[in-house]
Amino acid sequence: FWPAPGTRGTPMTSLPDQDHPRNETPDVETIEGQLDRILSSPGFLAAPQRSNFLRYVVEETLAGRSSQIKQYTVAVRAFGRDPSFNPQIDNIVRIEARGLRRALRKYYESQGSNDPVCIDIPKGSYVPVFLSNCDDTQYAEPASEPSAPTSATKDAQAMRSEEHTSELQSLTKLV
């Protein structure tokens, strides 16, 4: 997630620039303290695999190795999977990432709502983003109505249905 317009927060996906005079990015020590707070919360104490995931991706990012955070490395290094791990067969990392995002959101909506740093794992990535001066509004779900299917969506659904019917007819002729 990125901060909503008007909210405070500076995204960071790499080490902070300590030399920048107006740096609002949290420093490494502050991020490490935030990680410890999150991991010692009840929701994370009860989920060791999720905690290992968060600790691994945060520590790798702080060490300057965020480019190495991939499904395979998370599975092998954070979850202890065998080096023969195949992400095409085993989707544990995607499942745990979804759970981690949900757990972080829940944490920041409750006991972490006044914490000085927000740690997020944006959808589509396993690399954490660090935000300073976070508040619980950054984790609020966007209020939106589900959109009605467009004509393009309806056309695509009709084409898939026709293709499926055609495939079934072909298979029936073979039998």
Side-chain angles (χ1 to χ4, degrees), residues 20-98:
H20 194 280
R22 296 186 335 169
N23 184 5
E24 292 184 45
T25 304
D27 61 39
V28 172
E29 188 175 297
T30 304
I31 294 168
E32 289 171 341
Q34 183 64 37
L35 176 62
D36 289 342
R37 264 189 300 286
I38 293 169
L39 295 178
S40 64
S41 69
F44 281 84
L45 286 172
Q49 189 158 284
R50 194 163 292 152
S51 295
N52 289 344
F53 190 162
L54 182 60
R55 179 178 303 282
Y56 173 74
V57 297
V58 168
E59 288 177 353
E60 288 298 292
T61 299
L62 293 178
R65 295 185 294 263
S66 62
S67 65
Q68 296 177 20
I69 300 174
K70 308 284 184 213
Q71 274 189 69
Y72 178 82
T73 56
V74 171
V76 173
R77 295 182 183 159
F79 299 158
R81 290 289 205 257
D82 190 79
S84 64
F85 173 80
N86 182 343
Q88 298 299 321
I89 297 170
D90 187 346
N91 60 359
I92 186 67
V93 178
R94 289 188 305 273
I95 291 169
E96 283 297 320
R98 191 176 313 123

Side-chain angles (χ1 to χ4, degrees), residues 80-145:
R81 290 289 205 257
D82 190 79
S84 64
F85 173 80
N86 182 343
Q88 298 299 321
I89 297 170
D90 187 346
N91 60 359
I92 186 67
V93 178
R94 289 188 305 273
I95 291 169
E96 283 297 320
R98 191 176 313 123
L100 176 57
R101 291 180 187 106
R102 192 172 28 248
L104 285 168
R105 176 168 275 116
K106 186 175 179 181
Y107 171 82
Y108 284 111
E109 288 173 348
S110 58
Q111 71 244 40
S113 63
N114 293 315
D115 285 359
V117 175
C118 281
I119 300 175
D120 184 41
I121 311 295
K123 192 172 181 179
S125 173
Y126 305 120
V127 177
V129 174
F130 308 105
L131 297 163
S132 63
N133 303 316
C134 76
D135 59 40
D136 59 350
T137 61
Q138 292 172 330
Y139 270 96
E141 290 291 327
S144 64
E145 294 295 318

